[in-house]
Amino acid sequence: MRESILLMNFKDKKQLKGIQMTAFLLKLKIRMVEEKDFLQPLGYLAGVEGIEPSGEVFEGPAPAHEILVFAGVSDAKLQRMLAEMRRNGIKKVDHKAVLTPTNVHWNTIQLYEELDKEHQALQKGQKAHESGSAEADA
């Protein structure tokens, strides 16, 4: 499997172009995942050997946010990609993941649900931390 990034549900053209250009410079392959393929295993979409398509076609409502999945990308290159995105002012992607043995058989919808839970928990933690700081300052 070649180092690649799966992109799902990207509507912001400027954000998408920025991610594509950064990936190109780092020699990362981009795979745009169409909505109809949201029920396919992530490993299949990333080209992992031995993972077969599900045969299902997604027809439901798309997730509310964009999703970015790093597949087979070294940690150093992943960190560089994220740093370049920040440096170039590319709009942050809150729902991002690395393809792992745990999620390789998940589909886009399952991954999104898990990432959204994590994102909401982080947001609540930040809000609790911020309100705690405000009380300490008072």
Side-chain angles (χ1 to χ4, degrees):
M1 169 179 64
R2 186 173 157 211
E3 290 183 314
S4 61
I5 301 174
L6 303 176
L7 299 177
M8 296 93 152
N9 211 34
F10 279 78
K11 308 275 191 266
D12 182 324
K13 301 286 186 212
K14 183 177 178 186
Q15 179 190 36
L16 177 60
K17 190 74 164 169
I19 291 170
Q20 289 172 322
M21 292 299 295
T22 305
F24 175 78
L25 293 171
L26 295 175
K27 296 180 173 62
L28 294 170
K29 179 183 170 192
I30 290 283
R31 165 91 199 270
M32 298 297 301
V33 178
E34 297 179 42
E35 279 186 30
K36 69 179 180 65
D37 292 326
F38 282 2
L39 295 178
Q40 299 303 320
L42 296 172
Y44 170 74
L45 296 171
V48 175
E49 279 189 47
I51 299 184
E52 300 296 321
S54 70
E56 298 178 80
V57 176
F58 180 73
E59 296 176 358
H65 302 92
E66 55 276 318
I67 306 162
L68 184 150
V69 179
F70 292 95
V73 178
S74 69
D75 188 53
K77 201 172 269 193
L78 182 147
Q79 295 304 324
R80 187 162 172 221
M81 175 79 185
L82 295 175
E84 288 296 319
M85 288 171 60
R86 280 190 301 273
R87 190 175 69 79
N88 292 318
I90 298 168
K91 183 179 139 197
K92 184 178 176 189
V93 179
D94 289 324
H95 295 75
K96 56 186 167 288
V98 173
L99 192 65
T100 67
T102 301
N103 65 24
V104 73
H105 294 285
W106 294 0
N107 63 42
T108 299
I109 304 305
Q110 291 167 314
L111 177 67
Y112 176 76
E113 289 170 354
E114 186 64 28
L115 291 174
D116 202 47
K117 281 186 222 169
E118 289 176 11
H119 179 69
Q120 289 178 24
L122 284 172
Q123 294 295 91
K124 286 179 186 173
Q126 284 179 339
K127 287 178 185 169
H129 177 71
E130 288 168 6
S131 65
S133 296
E135 290 171 8
D137 292 342

